[in-house]
Each structure stands twice: as C-alpha cells, then as structure tokens.
C-alpha cells in the first residue's frame, strides 16, 4: 500500500526558508485522482492545512500562508516538496504530508486525506 | 473564509459509552466534511468522508451525519483505543480543520 515519509532539516533559523520533502512509496505520485497535501501541528495544538498540489500543476494554498508557501512535485523521484519562506518561531511544528484522495460519491466529488506520513518536527530557532 | 467549530473541546467518557461530537460550519458546506482521529504522537487517521461515509477499515461503531452547517460524529460504544483527539475538516479547494475534541477517560 502507499506510504509517505517526510524528510528535511529539523532546525531552521528565523527568516530562512523551511524545506521539506515527502517521498511516496508503494504507488506512483502520478496516479490520477490525487492531490498531495502538507499539514502542520504546533506542539499541543490543532491541525493546520498548508496547501496541496495536483500532478497537473494545480495548487491550492491556505490563504494565511499563501504568500510564503510553495509546493512542488517531482514525478521522476516520486516526491513532493514544501518550501516555507521567512520563517519565525510561530512556524515551529510537526509537519505532515498526506495524500488527498478524490472520491466520486452521491453525484459529487469529495476530497479526504486518506494516507499520511508519520510527521517530522521542525524547530525555528537561532 | 469558512470557520469550523467543534464542541465540546474535551469530553470525559467511559468504555462502552455512546459519544457524540459536533462540528458546525460558519456557512453551508453541503456534505464536504471529513472526520479524523489522532492518537498522541501519531498522524491523523481518516474515519469518515463526505459527512457520512465510513472509510475502509474503520470500525462500524463510528458514524457520521449531517449536512449544510451542522455535523456529528458518533461512537456507538467506546473502546479503549478510541480515547484520542478528533478533528472535523471541511474539504474544498482550501481545507479547514476544526479545533479538535479530546476524548478522555
């Protein structure tokens, strides 16, 4: 079955760019019907969706983060990536990647994140 | 932007209890509502999609209902592994999570 694994630096300095990669195994990232999402969770707090990308290049971003976020896909490596610029301590969190599955149900299309990586902790500190 | 509000924020219950968690959207979202369970230190797990459809492999004691602005997640008979935090999530071009409900013994 499809598995996701996040990787990247665990420590980023303030004002720098956070860069994470999610490697997809057990299936092709180019397989139709999926977006590929990033979500984060500060310690002891709730989930915040960051954004997602379809293999066609379509992206959707959280409006509160849009000016700082870039999500990209590398189909040759079966990976997708997150870049978050100008980070501050408020960006310290566990970052998850997830498959955003499209489901045709009851005459409509719905999306739900059905496969998740285990998460990686990123701390923003000098 | 659509806001998702869950209630209660925390809930104490016992094994065997029937539990209901509520999620309210700030405007109508049809059935574009998912529910996730998150155990401490783990990634969330999809329970319910499209408001009422049970994700494959999820026990039938979990059920979801509602449409428009008001949604519920019901666990018919709590099992020990069900004590966790539950999140609703509006799915659209921009996803939004509720703040979570912590289910405790």
């Amino acid at each position: 079955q499809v598995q996701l694994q996040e990787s990247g630096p665990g420590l980023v300095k303030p004002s720098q760019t956070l860069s994470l990669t999610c490697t997809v195994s057990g299936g092709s990232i180019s397989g139709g019907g999926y977006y590929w999402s990033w979500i984060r969770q500060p310690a002891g707090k709730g989930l915040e969706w960051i954004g997602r990308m379809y293999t066609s290049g379509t992206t959707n971003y959280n409006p509160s983060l849009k000016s700082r976020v870039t999500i990209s896909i590398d189909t040759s490596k079966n990976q997708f990536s997150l870049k978050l610029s100008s980070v501050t301590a408020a960006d310290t969190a566990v970052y998850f990647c997830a498959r955003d599955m499209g489901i045709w149900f009851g005459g409509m299309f719905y999306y739900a994140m059905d496969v998740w990586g285990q998460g990686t902790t990123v701390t923003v500190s000098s | 932007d659509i806001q998702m509000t869950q209630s209660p924020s925390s809930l104490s219950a016992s094994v065997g209890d029937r539990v209901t968690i509520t999620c309210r959207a700030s405007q109508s979202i049809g059935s574009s509502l998912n529910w996730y369970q998150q155990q401490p230190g783990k990634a969330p797990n999809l329970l319910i999609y499209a408001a009422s459809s049970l994700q494959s492999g999820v026990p039938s004691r979990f059920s979801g209902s509602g449409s428009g602005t008001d949604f519920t997640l019901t666990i018919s008979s709590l099992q020990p592994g069900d004590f966790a935090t539950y999140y609703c999530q509006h799915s659209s071009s921009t996803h939004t999570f509720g703040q979570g409900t912590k289910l405790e013994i």
Side-chain angles (χ1 to χ4, degrees):
Chain A
Q1 70 278 23
V2 173
Q3 293 183 310
L4 307 182
Q5 178 68 58
E6 305 89 350
S7 60
L11 180 65
V12 181
K13 288 181 167 40
S15 79
Q16 293 190 342
T17 296
L18 177 161
S19 295
L20 296 174
T21 296
C22 182
T23 300
V24 179
S25 59
S28 172
I29 200 171
S30 301
Y34 304 115
Y35 279 85
W36 302 91
S37 275
W38 287 97
I39 305 95
R40 68 181 183 179
Q41 184 173 38
K45 296 189 177 180
L47 299 164
E48 180 179 33
W49 178 77
I50 299 170
R52 67 179 185 175
M53 186 172 192
Y54 200 73
T55 47
S56 65
T58 299
T59 54
N60 302 120
Y61 295 130
N62 185 323
S64 68
L65 298 169
K66 186 176 183 178
S67 63
R68 298 194 292 130
V69 174
T70 302
I71 295 174
S72 59
I73 289 180
D74 187 337
T75 56
S76 67
K77 295 182 178 178
N78 229 32
Q79 295 175 335
F80 62 107
S81 297
L82 168 70
K83 291 188 185 299
L84 181 65
S85 64
S86 305
V87 297
T88 69
D91 296 309
T92 295
V94 176
Y95 285 75
F96 297 98
C97 58
R99 187 178 75 173
D100 203 348
M101 169 184 66
I103 310 152
W104 181 254
F105 177 76
M108 290 188 63
F109 230 96
Y110 296 92
Y111 280 90
M113 290 174 280
D114 69 326
V115 180
W116 294 64
Q118 64 186 24
T120 187
T121 300
V122 178
T123 302
V124 178
S125 175
S126 55
Chain B
D1 295 352
I2 296 175
Q3 306 300 318
M4 308 302 296
T5 304
Q6 288 181 234
S7 60
S9 296
S10 63
L11 176 59
S12 294
S14 301
V15 172
D17 284 354
R18 179 183 179 91
V19 168
T20 297
I21 298 169
T22 297
C23 181
R24 175 164 289 175
S26 59
Q27 63 190 74
S28 179
I29 59 171
S31 296
S32 299
L33 193 284
N34 306 319
W35 290 98
Y36 299 84
Q37 176 194 67
Q38 187 179 31
Q39 301 285 358
K42 302 291 187 181
N45 181 49
L46 177 65
L47 301 174
I48 302 286
Y49 63 89
S52 61
S53 295
L54 192 67
Q55 171 68 353
S56 176
V58 174
S60 59
R61 64 180 179 274
F62 291 93
S63 64
S65 65
S67 66
T69 59
D70 294 316
F71 302 86
T72 59
L73 172 70
T74 299
I75 310 171
S76 61
S77 179
L78 278 173
Q79 299 302 301
D82 298 339
F83 293 94
T85 300
Y86 293 84
Y87 293 92
C88 65
Q89 176 237 332
H90 166 46
S91 66
S92 71
S93 59
T94 58
H95 298 333
T96 305
F97 288 95
Q99 81 276 19
T101 295
K102 187 174 184 179
L103 180 54
E104 302 173 296
I105 298 175

